Amino acid sequence: QVQLVESGGGLVQPGGSLRLSCAAPRSISSIVAMAWYRRAPGKERELVAQVTSSTDTNYADSVKGRFTISRDNAKNTVYLFMNSLKSEDTAVYYCNVRYVGDYRLRNVWGQGTQVTVSS
């Protein structure tokens, strides 16, 4: 059972910053993409940012210019740097990793970490 380890959530004031991290097991060698999703209260889960194996990135329009996703291939870790946080960024953030295992494309989720933006 592949497990992702997330960290970095918490409470921050509007305009503040947070960094989320998500580590996948070193045993995974064929990662296709790593991403962050979020689910705000009463809303559907949405893609926040994604980085592929070729380091191409894409972002939700609502976070462009404020959030940055990056990955450390040596550590199988993906980061989400969140700046200029707004109350509407409050959500549970989930890490997602897609990789090839046993010749199949597989999809694994982290347990989620709460981000609360409030004064």
Side-chain angles (χ1 to χ4, degrees):
Q1 182 89 13
V2 173
Q3 289 188 331
L4 307 179
V5 179
E6 298 179 9
S7 62
L11 173 64
V12 64
Q13 292 186 343
S17 300
L18 279 177
R19 186 191 78 167
L20 305 182
S21 64
C22 170
R26 299 284 187 94
S27 58
I28 296 178
S29 59
S30 300
I31 292 178
V32 174
M34 306 181 86
W36 289 95
Y37 288 74
R38 68 185 180 188
R39 177 177 283 145
K43 294 188 177 181
E44 298 283 323
R45 184 172 60 193
E46 64 172 347
L47 175 66
V48 177
Q50 174 177 271
V51 57
T52 68
S53 57
S54 61
T55 69
D56 289 338
T57 58
N58 62 285
Y59 297 90
D61 287 343
S62 59
V63 307
K64 283 180 181 177
R66 300 188 298 121
F67 291 11
T68 301
I69 190 170
S70 68
R71 60 188 281 183
D72 183 334
N73 291 330
K75 297 180 180 179
N76 272 4
T77 298
V78 62
Y79 304 97
L80 185 67
F81 298 88
M82 304 185 292
N83 297 314
S84 302
L85 283 160
K86 306 175 181 180
S87 58
E88 51 262 45
D89 295 317
T90 295
V92 178
Y93 285 70
Y94 297 91
C95 177
N96 173 263
V97 175
R98 283 179 283 143
Y99 67 99
V100 176
D102 294 330
Y103 307 103
R104 293 174 56 188
L105 184 63
R106 300 181 183 272
N107 199 32
V108 62
W109 292 90
Q111 78 280 8
T113 185
Q114 177 70 46
V115 171
T116 302
V117 184
S118 175
S119 55

